[in-house]
Amino acid sequence: MAEIIHLENIIKRFYVGQPNELEILHGISLSVEEGVFASIVGASGSGKSTLMNIIGALDKPTEGSYTLDGVDIIAARDEELSAIRNRKIGFVFQTYNLISRTSALKNVEMPMLYKGVRKKERRERAQMLLEMVGMKERMSHTPDELSGGQKQRVAIARAMACDPAIILADEPTGALDSKTGRTVMDIFHKLNQEQGKTIVLITHAPELAEETGRIITISDGNITGERINPNPGYHPSSASDDEPEIQF
């Protein structure tokens, strides 16, 4: 399989050249192959959020090189980075980041609007994606009319809008109860197994990391462990009356 993420000797410092200069990442080298479900696991303050921002092209390293799906991220200009984020990366955050006064349907359409997809095409794809994550009956609802789990499903549909090369999920179940979090994790597994999506999960929870096929441990700005997980502890949950079965 081809590498889709390749970081080499990534160093990230803040307040460079000032007395309070702080180095957060101390030479991270990491590759992720296409179609893999990988997790980056670490405690608060380990550097995983800083690493996520670099992988997601939200920030650039102080030193090192980074190639995402064949694109040199370090050399890219700001406007190029914006296009890369929109076309190549689907983000799913703990806080959902949905537009509050806009329907679920229009939230999912938004990345395609920025990409220049025609109205009819983006509407049809948004409807298909929302149906795919079990939100067919709630497309017209705004985020404040949805539960946390429903918001996260909308966020996942939005992340898939432009058919990204990777999905980057930052603590996606952190604000959810265990049952709802289970449903969200089921969606990620189905996207990986049935659509071959490359997924990178950022988490502090070892039990979630154990569901993925590759586990990368980060501590104090260094990768301290990395292993292939041949038997991920994933068991699909059964559908209930209030959590419809996820169809792909």
Side-chain angles (χ1 to χ4, degrees):
M1 292 184 291
E3 285 183 348
I4 197 165
I5 293 170
H6 184 79
L7 300 100
E8 191 71 35
N9 196 33
I10 295 294
I11 294 172
K12 180 62 181 179
R13 302 186 186 99
F14 294 94
Y15 314 113
V16 176
Q18 300 180 34
N20 58 338
E21 180 174 314
L22 181 64
E23 186 171 294
I24 302 297
L25 301 179
H26 312 302
I28 298 283
S29 294
L30 172 66
S31 295
V32 176
E33 294 180 325
E34 189 175 7
V36 168
F37 191 169
S39 56
I40 299 174
V41 61
S44 178
S46 61
K48 65 182 187 298
S49 293
T50 301
L51 180 58
M52 184 216 71
N53 287 337
I54 290 172
I55 293 173
L58 297 168
D59 197 5
K60 286 187 176 182
T62 309
E63 298 178 23
S65 63
Y66 175 28
T67 303
L68 170 65
D69 199 24
V71 176
D72 184 349
I73 297 299
I74 307 302
R77 299 187 300 272
D78 287 347
E79 60 270 23
E80 293 172 322
L81 288 176
S82 179
I84 288 165
R85 287 191 296 268
N86 186 250
R87 294 168 189 249
K88 291 187 178 291
I89 307 170
F91 292 96
V92 181
F93 296 101
Q94 178 178 342
T95 52
Y96 321 122
N97 286 13
L98 300 175
I99 300 172
S100 60
R101 296 184 180 180
T102 301
S103 70
L105 185 64
K106 288 193 176 296
N107 265 282
V108 178
E109 284 187 61
M110 196 67 66
M112 294 181 281
L113 176 64
Y114 292 142
K115 191 179 178 181
V117 177
R118 290 180 298 179
K119 182 177 181 179
K120 183 176 184 292
E121 183 180 346
R122 68 175 185 257
R123 176 63 56 94
E124 289 175 351
R125 179 164 175 80
Q127 289 173 338
M128 180 272 291
L129 289 168
L130 284 167
E131 185 171 355
M132 183 183 76
V133 299
M135 291 293 290
K136 180 180 180 179
E137 307 302 324
R138 295 175 174 86
M139 293 185 188
S140 63
H141 289 60
T142 59
D144 59 3
E145 297 172 318
L146 301 174
S147 68
Q150 290 167 346
K151 290 176 188 177
Q152 198 60 294
R153 291 193 209 178
V154 174
I156 293 170
R158 181 189 58 190
M160 289 288 293
C162 294
D163 194 22
I166 67 168
I167 295 176
L168 190 59
D170 182 24
E171 302 281 8
T173 66
L176 306 176
D177 62 74
S178 58
K179 179 182 176 182
T180 308
R182 176 71 269 148
T183 301
V184 167
M185 287 299 294
D186 286 352
I187 295 174
F188 286 126
H189 284 290
K190 286 177 178 288
L191 288 172
N192 175 249
Q193 295 173 3
E194 299 180 19
Q195 296 195 12
K197 283 295 173 186
T198 306
I199 300 176
V200 178
L201 171 71
I202 314 295
T203 183
H204 70 280
E207 66 273 16
L208 291 184
E210 287 295 335
E211 293 190 21
T212 68
R214 185 169 169 211
I215 302 170
I216 300 147
T217 303
I218 185 170
S219 179
D220 297 327
N222 293 291
I223 290 178
T224 57
E226 186 174 352
R227 64 185 172 90
I228 302 298
N229 186 13
N231 298 300
Y234 165 58
H235 304 285
S237 62
S238 57
S240 66
D241 292 338
D242 58 344
E243 295 290 344
E245 183 179 357
I246 303 155
Q247 299 290 343
F248 283 78

